[in-house]
Amino acid sequence: MFGYLRIDKDELKVKDYRFYKSVYCGLCRSMGKNYGTAARLMLSYDCTVLAVLLMSVTSEKCAVVRKRCPVNPLKKCEFCDCMSDAIKFAGAVSVILGYNRLQDTIIDSKMLKKIPPMILKILLKRNYRKAAAAYPEIAHMTEQLIKMQTEAESKKAGIDASAEPTAKFMSKLCSMFCPQNYNSHAAETFGYYIGRWIYLIDAADDLEEDIKKGTFNPFKEKYNGDTAETMKYCNEVLNMTAAHITMSYDLLDTGLYKSILDNIVYDGIAKQQQYCLFDKYNEKNKKIRSR
Amino acid sequence: MNDPYRILNISKNADVEEIKKAYRILVKKYHPDRYQNSSLAKEATEKMKEINQAYDMVMREKQGQGSDASYDNGAYDKHEGSAPRDTYNKTEPSVYVNVRQDIKNQNFDKAESVLNKIPPTERSGEWYYLMSIISYNKGQLEESNNYIETAHSIDPSNTEYYQMYRSIKEQRTGTSYHSGGATGCGGKIFRNICDCFY
């Protein structure tokens, strides 16, 4: 999970934004409390969305308290109750995924740059074990995810096959929490396409860098030297995935926090695509021109 | 049954026009065309039934109050979830009939393995069309897109292939993307995501 799943702040009601933020802060607090200060660095927007989704699905109401922010003690923030099941779950997922991602970062970076992730990894090791012991299923799923991902990349898999491990992981994650008699088929499908979308937008976002470094990227084959053209193609792929996200999302009974999830699914996804595929390059060009 | 007003997403004192408007939005959202060839079609049909029941109930209530609603005068026809179309050619080899049955029963792996046994030289437009549906439901959207492109280019006059082709192309340009959305065109945000937005 890489922080691509976000709200579109401009379109969100203030009360929804406040709640979303309190979940973000609550998640950070919960991770700090359960897995130590270093774990807070693993906080991501994706896991905040996961927490909101889980709360919505299980219709778990969450108390909000006002406390000082430990990261910035001058600021008083609203925190969602960090003992909530959804938040604990999302926190564990963040720690487990984050820890495993560190290994990737160590392999990918060169020489001295290896040191910070290595230190972080050592700091996190004990708490990773704690999270993995509390949620063994997720630890197992993550192992599978990494194994399948490495395999797909070494085979130089196509777009569908390389997105599949993340998609399947998210699919399981979304259906795990569903209460009985919930529409689990739609939830699984929703998770699948969310995972696929996250993987593919990350790939599209990293395309230029991967070409420079010579690392694997599923969109490389389509790249013909013209970034703008390739991004148009990536946009088509992502649009189709997003169409399937909304199709399955519309069949979910989202209940309590519908307005926040609607915002993420209908507006946030489109906005991220627009930013990562087009606006980012326009900004770059502007900077070059102004120099 | 659940609260019909909640299902239609309207307040208790909504007037007839508001009800119709809310109903129309929902019909568009859960329209069988949107879920065609998808394994979610069944769920969408259920949802549509629920919405139709809620609509009937609310409208009946409004009429009972003596309002001037005359919703069943044919001005607005209700949408029923249409049954999946079984319009395949009778002369086609029986293997495709079986594959279609498997797809209908959501046995995608079985259908795929049967199709894979057909040698490449004997693969017709229908082979590519059925493969496209299978990949579509297994989440392999790029492969689905490639298959339907081939099927459509082999037989451009086939309406069945064309429907699937068009719906996939709509998804890719982003025109169908927002069909469930509450807001309209987001102006700047959607500039590149779609060429035309309703």
Side-chain angles (χ1 to χ4, degrees):
Chain A
M1 307 228 200
F2 321 96
Y4 289 103
L5 219 48
R6 289 189 195 188
I7 49 162
D8 179 1
K9 198 174 157 187
D10 297 343
E11 299 282 344
L12 203 58
K13 272 188 184 167
V14 174
K15 66 167 186 182
D16 289 334
Y17 178 68
R18 272 176 62 191
F19 181 76
Y20 174 82
K21 211 171 158 284
S22 80
V23 175
Y24 183 77
C25 293
L27 185 59
C28 180
R29 198 182 196 91
S30 150
M31 284 161 73
K33 209 168 175 177
N34 292 326
Y35 305 112
T37 312
R40 285 181 198 260
L41 294 168
M42 304 285 115
L43 182 66
S44 73
Y45 288 118
D46 301 287
C47 281
T48 314
V49 175
L50 180 69
V52 177
L53 179 71
L54 297 179
M55 283 170 166
S56 230
V57 165
T58 54
S59 23
E60 183 185 299
K61 275 194 185 136
C62 203
V64 174
V65 285
R66 252 181 96 82
K67 276 181 188 160
R68 242 169 247 292
C69 173
V71 182
N72 178 3
L74 293 175
K75 208 168 75 182
K76 264 200 167 179
C77 286
E78 281 173 336
F79 290 93
C80 212
D81 178 16
C82 58
M83 292 324 278
S84 133
D85 281 343
I87 287 190
K88 268 202 249 169
F89 182 82
V93 171
S94 307
V95 171
I96 294 171
L97 278 180
Y99 181 81
N100 281 296
R101 259 202 110 209
L102 281 175
Q103 188 60 42
D104 274 4
T105 324
I106 295 170
I107 295 167
D108 286 348
S109 34
K110 280 178 197 151
M111 304 298 284
L112 284 175
K113 280 192 180 162
K114 277 186 198 290
I115 294 170
M118 270 170 142
I119 294 172
L120 193 55
K121 208 181 156 198
I122 294 164
L123 286 174
L124 270 175
K125 194 162 191 172
R126 227 189 60 212
N127 286 306
Y128 163 74
R129 285 205 189 124
K130 193 177 162 192
Y135 297 90
E137 208 173 333
I138 297 171
H140 178 69
M141 274 158 58
T142 312
E143 265 169 41
Q144 287 287 318
L145 163 72
I146 288 161
K147 219 172 92 190
M148 278 164 72
Q149 195 69 64
T150 332
E151 205 181 296
E153 289 184 10
S154 65
K155 273 196 289 192
K156 298 226 181 304
I159 291 166
D160 292 330
S162 58
E164 186 109 345
T166 318
K168 285 208 164 138
F169 176 83
M170 286 302 292
S171 168
K172 269 188 219 150
L173 209 57
C174 283
S175 60
M176 258 170 90
F177 231 77
C178 281
Q180 269 182 350
N181 73 37
Y182 196 79
N183 186 351
S184 59
H185 180 48
E188 270 169 36
T189 317
F190 176 71
Y192 183 92
Y193 289 111
I194 284 284
R196 182 183 156 96
W197 185 85
I198 291 178
Y199 179 82
L200 291 177
I201 198 166
D202 184 46
D205 199 22
D206 291 345
L207 185 63
E208 280 201 325
E209 214 186 308
D210 283 334
I211 287 168
K212 237 184 256 168
K213 282 188 185 165
T215 38
F216 173 81
N217 193 306
F219 288 119
K220 235 183 202 171
E221 232 171 75
K222 296 280 171 184
Y223 183 77
N224 52 3
D226 183 354
T227 309
E229 272 303 304
T230 318
M231 286 305 146
K232 262 188 204 156
Y233 170 76
C234 297
N235 194 36
E236 274 183 21
V237 177
L238 286 165
N239 273 346
M240 190 171 173
T241 311
H244 284 255
I245 293 177
T246 48
M247 263 162 71
S248 43
Y249 174 76
D250 286 341
L251 290 170
L252 287 179
D253 193 5
T254 38
L256 216 47
Y257 306 109
K258 187 177 185 301
S259 46
I260 301 178
L261 293 170
D262 277 0
N263 173 280
I264 294 160
V265 169
Y266 299 135
D267 303 315
I269 282 181
K271 203 170 186 178
Q272 277 296 309
Q273 265 175 245
Q274 174 69 22
Y275 175 74
C276 294
L277 306 179
F278 305 108
D279 291 354
K280 195 178 77 180
Y281 295 99
N282 292 343
E283 272 169 31
K284 246 192 221 166
N285 290 342
K286 259 183 218 157
K287 264 184 206 158
I288 293 166
R289 242 177 272 147
S290 63
R291 259 183 218 156
Chain B
M1 194 187 156
N2 291 329
D3 179 8
Y5 290 91
R6 225 203 95 187
I7 292 170
L8 295 174
N9 202 11
I10 47 174
S11 75
K12 282 254 193 271
N13 43 25
D15 62 25
V16 176
E17 272 316 303
E18 281 170 333
I19 298 168
K20 281 186 182 173
K21 201 178 152 199
Y23 177 64
R24 237 169 267 149
I25 290 169
L26 290 171
V27 164
K28 212 169 146 196
K29 206 166 170 177
Y30 298 105
H31 201 277
D33 282 354
R34 190 175 172 220
Y35 289 92
Q36 211 186 352
N37 292 324
S38 160
S39 63
L40 294 168
K42 213 179 88 202
E43 278 99 335
T45 316
E46 300 267 299
K47 195 95 186 175
M48 198 71 161
K49 259 187 215 153
E50 197 184 65
I51 292 161
N52 280 334
Q53 274 173 4
Y55 180 69
D56 280 347
M57 223 162 126
V58 170
M59 279 310 226
R60 220 175 293 135
E61 226 169 76
K62 291 282 159 192
Q63 275 191 328
Q65 282 170 9
S67 81
D68 57 352
S70 46
Y71 75 100
D72 50 359
N73 61 359
Y76 194 77
D77 57 325
K78 271 197 298 146
H79 285 264
E80 304 289 348
S82 69
R85 282 157 226 174
D86 285 328
T87 50
Y88 46 81
N89 202 335
K90 284 193 182 74
T91 56
E92 74 185 20
S94 62
V95 60
Y96 291 134
V97 178
N98 290 336
V99 169
R100 277 177 196 262
Q101 195 54 48
D102 285 334
I103 290 175
K104 212 173 163 186
N105 298 335
Q106 305 200 6
N107 274 334
F108 301 115
D109 289 328
K110 193 183 159 209
E112 193 180 6
S113 74
V114 172
L115 285 180
N116 276 329
K117 279 184 196 133
I118 297 172
T121 45
E122 287 167 36
R123 289 173 185 176
S124 59
E126 183 162 25
W127 188 90
Y128 287 99
Y129 167 70
L130 294 174
M131 271 310 246
S132 176
I133 295 179
I134 294 167
S135 328
Y136 191 79
N137 280 294
K138 290 176 88 179
Q140 290 149 2
L141 303 181
E142 284 314 291
E143 274 174 28
S144 177
N145 178 46
N146 294 340
Y147 283 129
I148 201 63
E149 275 178 356
T150 317
H152 180 61
S153 70
I154 289 173
D155 187 0
S157 63
N158 186 311
T159 48
E160 205 181 24
Y161 309 166
Y162 177 66
Q163 264 177 8
M164 175 99 178
Y165 176 81
R166 206 190 50 189
S167 104
I168 287 185
K169 290 298 161 197
E170 271 173 11
Q171 290 178 1
R172 295 177 78 84
T173 47
T175 37
S176 75
Y177 180 70
H178 227 268
S179 41
T183 51
C185 189
K188 206 180 146 198
I189 301 166
F190 291 96
R191 204 174 38 199
N192 278 320
I193 288 196
C194 56
D195 299 329
C196 55
F197 227 97
Y198 305 136

